[in-house]
Amino acid sequence: MSRAINHLFIGALFTMTTGLPPATGSENDRKLTIVNPQNLYDPTPNGYSTAVITSPNARIAYISGQGGQDATGGLSPDFAAQVEQAYANLVAVLGGIGARPDQVAKLTVFVVDHEMSKLDILTRSVIEVFGETLPAQTLVPVPRLAIDPMLFEVEAVVVLD
């Protein structure tokens, strides 16, 4: 995407969300404001939000991609098992930095050989971890990841305060 189009998109998103009330709670209660404009498709049944706004002066943590490796580095050959383990790893990293899943503003997930049948697994996993505080999310189909047996990876942007 060109830089001009990217800036136009960001400006449009800002314009669309300015003046919209938070999805739930007051601004003092929440560090994140979830925005799903009513004139767009509702993404929540698919496990994500259209946009998430952070509070001013928030400290942000960027979490590297977490794959489905267990504590020994082993990887299940099963896609669903890797997704479950990757989210467990993400939750462990969140705990390690003193954060909770409801502080995650953005996820980027990478899926090897993506096909529509994998969406149910992904949606169930995201809703299980994040509940109603669904982060913004992008799924990127890829031909392979860093280690050949890896089928899934998730990275996160987290608002710490």
Side-chain angles (χ1 to χ4, degrees):
M1 183 179 320
S2 77
R3 189 177 189 130
I5 292 173
N6 192 27
H7 286 156
L8 180 63
F9 176 74
I10 291 168
L13 181 60
F14 177 77
T15 301
M16 286 173 32
T17 60
T18 301
L20 290 176
T24 60
S26 70
E27 288 186 16
N28 294 334
D29 296 334
R30 298 180 58 90
K31 304 228 184 299
L32 302 175
T33 301
I34 295 172
V35 179
N36 290 308
Q38 291 184 1
N39 61 332
L40 296 178
Y41 169 79
D42 179 12
T44 55
N46 296 317
Y48 68 98
S49 295
T50 303
V52 177
I53 302 170
T54 64
S55 60
N57 303 316
R59 278 188 326 135
I60 305 292
Y62 299 89
I63 298 178
S64 296
Q66 299 299 303
Q69 296 93 335
D70 62 22
T72 67
L75 277 164
S76 169
D78 181 64
F79 177 76
Q82 283 196 29
V83 171
E84 182 178 335
Q85 184 63 53
Y87 279 110
N89 295 345
L90 176 61
V91 169
V93 174
L94 291 172
I97 63 172
R100 301 174 314 278
D102 67 351
Q103 292 174 268
V104 174
K106 171 76 166 83
L107 295 174
T108 303
V109 299
F110 302 91
V111 178
V112 173
D113 298 327
H114 174 62
E115 57 189 48
M116 295 303 288
S117 65
K118 294 180 179 179
L119 288 178
D120 283 340
I121 294 166
L122 297 171
T123 300
R124 277 194 312 267
S125 297
V126 160
I127 291 173
E128 185 176 304
V129 173
F130 298 97
E132 292 184 15
T133 309
L134 296 170
Q137 184 175 184
T138 299
L139 185 154
V140 182
V142 295
R144 65 181 288 210
L145 290 163
I147 302 169
D148 281 333
M150 282 180 68
L151 302 173
F152 178 80
E153 187 171 8
V154 56
E155 64 181 32
V157 178
V158 184
V159 178
L160 296 176
D161 48 44

